[in-house]
């Protein structure tokens, strides 16, 4: 299991998500509150977008624990972005700790992070790979279940005729990837549940899932926070005008700060974040 934070809004320093909040992502890397094991020290990664320079995200990953990486602290202090996906990793048992296995995973304009695991992944991996085209198969660089789920998303994604339909196409692709994964598990007799807290973005919009094939009460935590702007001043971070608007959207495995407005995303739902940062909750139907 892991922890992640996904931000869409006005440009913000990475430190406002990663280091400054009372329960920042770095703090979650050594003191997570909402999982049995508080440590997430098997590497970290940050994908962030600078649309003035490129439609593809910049990516910084390392196998070192987030709490001890001085480069991350320095970069976070002076780097600003309107779209950030940050992740601290607790490696699934049996999977190696390598840079290619650290989240986020990127391909073209897309970036993805995942908290959870695919039940019975070792038994499903070969069958899952058979679902992929040559291009998507060759895009996989590591060995994690998360990157294979990303490949299923890429395989299912169909570029729409209009940019206004991109968010819906991303929603359809993530839903289809999860449904296909669950179908493969049934076909091959896998009984271990999957836990799929996933966020995927193209820098302008995003889709998030909080889906499990197991008991809903065992689903990993995931929260939504919306408002006018997220700000950190004098060591205190908060959302200005929480719930009043959706100029800023934060999705996080755990609440970053103690200010009001954090809401749990319902289990077995997907969250759609459109270009105007309006959010919609969509039930997941298998």
């Amino acid at each position: 299991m892991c922890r992640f934070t996904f931000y869409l809004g006005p440009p913000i320093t990475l430190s406002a998500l990663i280091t400054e909040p009372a329960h920042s992502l770095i703090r979650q890397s050594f003191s997570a509150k909402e999982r049995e094991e508080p440590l997430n020290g098997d590497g970290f990664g940050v994908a962030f977008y600078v649309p003035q320079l490129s439609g593809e995200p910049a990516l910084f990953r390392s196998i070192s624990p987030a709490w001890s990486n001085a480069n991350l602290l320095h970069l976070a202090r002076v780097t600003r972005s309107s779209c950030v996906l940050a992740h601290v990793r607790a490696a699934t048992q049996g999977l190696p700790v390598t840079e290619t296995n650290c989240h986020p995973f990127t391909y073209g304009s897309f970036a993805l992070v995942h908290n959870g695991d695919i039940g019975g992944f070792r038994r499903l991996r070969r069958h899952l790979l058979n679902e992929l085209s040559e291009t998507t198969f060759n895009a996989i660089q590591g060995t994690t279940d998360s990157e294979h789920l990303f490949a299923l998303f890429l395989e299912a994604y169909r570029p729409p005729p209009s940019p206004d339909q991109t968010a819906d196409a991303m929603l359809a692709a993530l839903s289809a990837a999860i449904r296909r994964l669950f179908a493969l598990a049934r076909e091959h007799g896998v009984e271990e549940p999957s836990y799929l807290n996933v966020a995927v973005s193209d820098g302008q919009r995003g889709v998030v899932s909080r889906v499990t094939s197991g008991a809903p009460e065992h689903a990993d935590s995931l929260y939504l926070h919306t408002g006018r702007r997220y700000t950190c001043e004098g060591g205190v971070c908060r959302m200005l005008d929480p719930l009043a608007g959706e100029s800023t959207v934060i999705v996080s495995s755990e609440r970053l700060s103690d200010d009001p407005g954090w809401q749990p995303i319902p289990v077995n739902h997907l969250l759609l974040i459109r270009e105007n940062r309006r959010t919609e909750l969509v039930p997941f139907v298998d």
Side-chain angles (χ1 to χ4, degrees):
M1 303 299 179
C2 311
R3 306 278 85 176
F4 72 72
T5 296
F6 170 36
Y7 172 90
L8 268 173
I12 192 174
T13 60
L14 303 188
S15 62
L17 305 170
I18 296 173
T19 64
E20 294 184 65
H23 196 50
S24 66
L25 198 63
I26 275 192
R27 180 165 292 277
Q28 292 177 46
S29 71
F30 63 83
S31 184
K33 295 179 179 179
E34 299 194 49
R35 58 183 302 257
E36 292 183 6
E37 170 55 61
L39 291 179
N40 298 276
D42 295 323
F44 70 88
V46 185
F48 56 96
Y49 291 79
V50 185
Q52 302 91 330
L53 300 177
S54 174
E56 297 184 6
L59 182 62
F60 175 40
R61 300 187 294 185
S62 173
I63 61 172
S64 68
W67 67 76
S68 65
N69 192 288
N71 290 330
L72 175 62
L73 300 180
H74 286 294
L75 287 172
R77 181 173 54 84
V78 297
T79 302
R80 294 171 62 86
S81 176
S82 58
C83 180
V84 181
L85 295 93
H87 186 278
V88 290
R89 184 178 183 225
T92 301
Q93 187 173 5
L95 293 178
V97 178
T98 64
E99 190 172 294
T100 53
N101 281 348
C102 290
H103 307 220
F105 304 102
T106 64
Y107 184 84
S109 64
F110 291 120
L112 176 142
V113 289
H114 171 214
N115 166 37
D117 62 342
I118 294 175
F121 175 63
R122 289 183 179 276
R123 294 169 58 190
L124 290 177
R125 185 184 181 202
R126 179 169 61 84
H127 307 291
L128 191 157
L129 292 173
N130 289 337
E131 301 284 314
L132 305 179
S133 66
E134 191 75 12
T135 300
T136 309
F137 176 89
N138 289 327
I140 297 175
Q141 299 179 2
T143 59
T144 66
D145 51 352
S146 305
E147 190 176 14
H148 286 68
L149 177 61
F150 186 31
L152 281 179
F153 166 84
L154 295 172
E155 191 69 27
Y157 179 73
R158 298 291 180 268
S162 167
D164 294 340
Q165 299 171 310
T166 302
D168 294 295
M170 291 169 60
L171 175 68
L174 185 57
S175 300
I178 296 173
R179 284 196 298 269
R180 187 60 193 138
L181 177 64
F182 287 175
L184 286 171
R186 290 191 294 268
E187 291 169 16
H188 298 284
V190 171
E191 296 183 356
E192 300 99 310
S194 291
Y195 299 95
L196 305 176
N197 284 10
V198 176
V200 59
S201 179
D202 66 350
Q204 301 181 57
R205 51 192 76 79
V207 180
V208 178
S209 65
R210 189 186 182 202
V211 173
T212 178
S213 59
E217 61 269 23
H218 296 152
D220 296 314
S221 60
L222 194 63
Y223 294 90
L224 170 66
H225 203 12
T226 65
R228 180 161 57 89
R229 184 165 62 90
Y230 195 67
T231 181
C232 294
E233 299 173 347
V236 177
C237 298
R238 63 191 179 95
M239 185 73 78
L240 301 180
D241 299 328
L243 301 179
E246 294 174 333
S247 297
T248 295
V249 179
I250 302 176
V251 176
S252 187
S253 298
E254 300 186 13
R255 301 174 180 90
L256 297 179
S257 47
D258 295 328
D259 58 315
W262 292 95
Q263 301 290 329
I265 293 176
V267 179
N268 292 329
H269 279 70
L270 294 101
L271 176 74
L272 178 63
I273 308 170
R274 296 193 179 277
E275 295 84 347
N276 58 8
R277 301 184 192 128
R278 295 297 178 185
T279 60
E280 301 173 26
L281 279 171
V282 181
F284 173 74
V285 179
D286 184 11

